[in-house]
Amino acid sequence: MAPQHIAGIRIPDSRLARELTQFIRDTESDLLFHHSARVYCWGVLAGDRKGLKYDPELLYAAAMFHDIGLTSRYESSQLRFEVDGANAARDFLQGHGISERDIETVWNAVALHTTPGIPQFMRAEIALVQAGAGMDVAGRGYDDYSDAQREAVVRAFPREADFKHGIIEAFYQGLKHRPDSTFGTFNDDVLAHKDPHFHRADMCSIIHASKWHG
């Protein structure tokens, strides 16, 4: 793990955080693990910049679990990968005596991290995981971070030279066996990009094909 302080960011070092980190480290690839750690860092920096009040440990837990649903342990799941990750976080935290209210916050943060337009109106931890993921994958809010902040975070949690292609491939591997789970999300963009035989579901066609007569 990286140093406990990065560009003013404190990485949680409680027993829970250490066990959680080891669990994710043992489960995810280096690419996903480093991505998840950076999501936490971007979330902290955004939260501090905006003056939000958040629980660093809950934010850390959600950031660490947010992409675990893409790993091979869910290769038979037909749920949205975000729900697999949210359920995994819930199961882990329940085993460590975390309150149901805090577990619900983490669950929502993981489940909603690919659903723009909603998290920013919810608890800060939920908003910040979505913001951090958007920054790391799509560069949303890139210029809101200083050069020094970006360099420090990437030094601590390296961004692979071909991260853009790597994260798309990670999404594809986690989604290709459950294409129906991508309906209504931007995850179907990944399948359309990687699989020439993939056909998106079209909501207007679904409405017209329903059994309603009018």
Side-chain angles (χ1 to χ4, degrees), residues 20-59:
L20 187 156
T21 300
Q22 191 61 55
F23 179 79
I24 298 298
R25 198 74 182 94
D26 291 343
T27 305
E28 292 187 346
S29 64
D30 287 347
L31 182 142
L32 287 179
F33 173 76
H34 289 145
H35 161 63
S36 296
R38 292 194 304 272
V39 166
Y40 170 76
C41 293
W42 306 135
V44 167
L45 291 170
D48 292 348
R49 184 174 64 247
K50 296 175 181 179
L52 300 180
K53 294 182 179 180
Y54 60 89
D55 184 317
E57 195 160 66
L58 296 183
L59 177 58

Side-chain angles (χ1 to χ4, degrees), residues 6-7 42 146-157:
I6 304 159
W42 306 135
S146 69
D147 290 344
Q149 288 174 330
R150 293 194 299 267
E151 289 167 4
V153 171
V154 172
R155 189 182 311 117
F157 302 109

Side-chain angles (χ1 to χ4, degrees), residues 14-174:
S14 64
R15 178 181 175 182
L16 170 65
R18 291 194 298 271
E19 291 182 5
L20 187 156
T21 300
Q22 191 61 55
F23 179 79
I24 298 298
R25 198 74 182 94
D26 291 343
T27 305
E28 292 187 346
S29 64
D30 287 347
L31 182 142
L32 287 179
F33 173 76
H34 289 145
H35 161 63
S36 296
R38 292 194 304 272
V39 166
Y40 170 76
C41 293
W42 306 135
V44 167
L45 291 170
D48 292 348
R49 184 174 64 247
K50 296 175 181 179
L52 300 180
K53 294 182 179 180
Y54 60 89
D55 184 317
E57 195 160 66
L58 296 183
L59 177 58
Y60 185 73
M64 285 288 105
F65 272 99
H66 86 282
D67 273 349
I68 197 173
L70 296 173
T71 62
S72 60
R73 69 169 51 202
Y74 299 101
E75 62 187 4
S76 298
S77 174
Q78 294 302 305
L79 298 176
R80 281 181 56 165
F81 88 89
E82 306 94 326
V83 173
D84 281 327
N87 289 343
R90 179 192 61 205
D91 293 345
F92 185 92
L93 295 175
Q94 283 177 338
H96 287 74
I98 306 302
S99 73
E100 285 301 316
R101 182 174 187 271
D102 287 345
I103 290 173
E104 182 179 10
T105 295
V106 173
W107 196 97
N108 284 327
V110 176
L112 293 172
H113 82 269
T114 63
T115 306
I118 295 176
Q120 64 262 41
F121 300 105
M122 302 178 73
R123 289 188 63 178
E125 296 86 358
I126 302 169
L128 294 175
V129 169
Q130 202 268 334
M135 162 58 176
D136 205 61
V137 174
R140 284 203 307 271
Y142 183 91
D143 292 330
D144 294 332
Y145 301 84
S146 69
D147 290 344
Q149 288 174 330
R150 293 194 299 267
E151 289 167 4
V153 171
V154 172
R155 189 182 311 117
F157 302 109
R159 183 182 172 94
E160 288 73 7
D162 200 21
F163 176 78
K164 292 179 180 180
H165 289 92
I167 194 65
I168 291 173
E169 180 65 20
F171 272 108
Y172 179 61
Q173 293 301 323

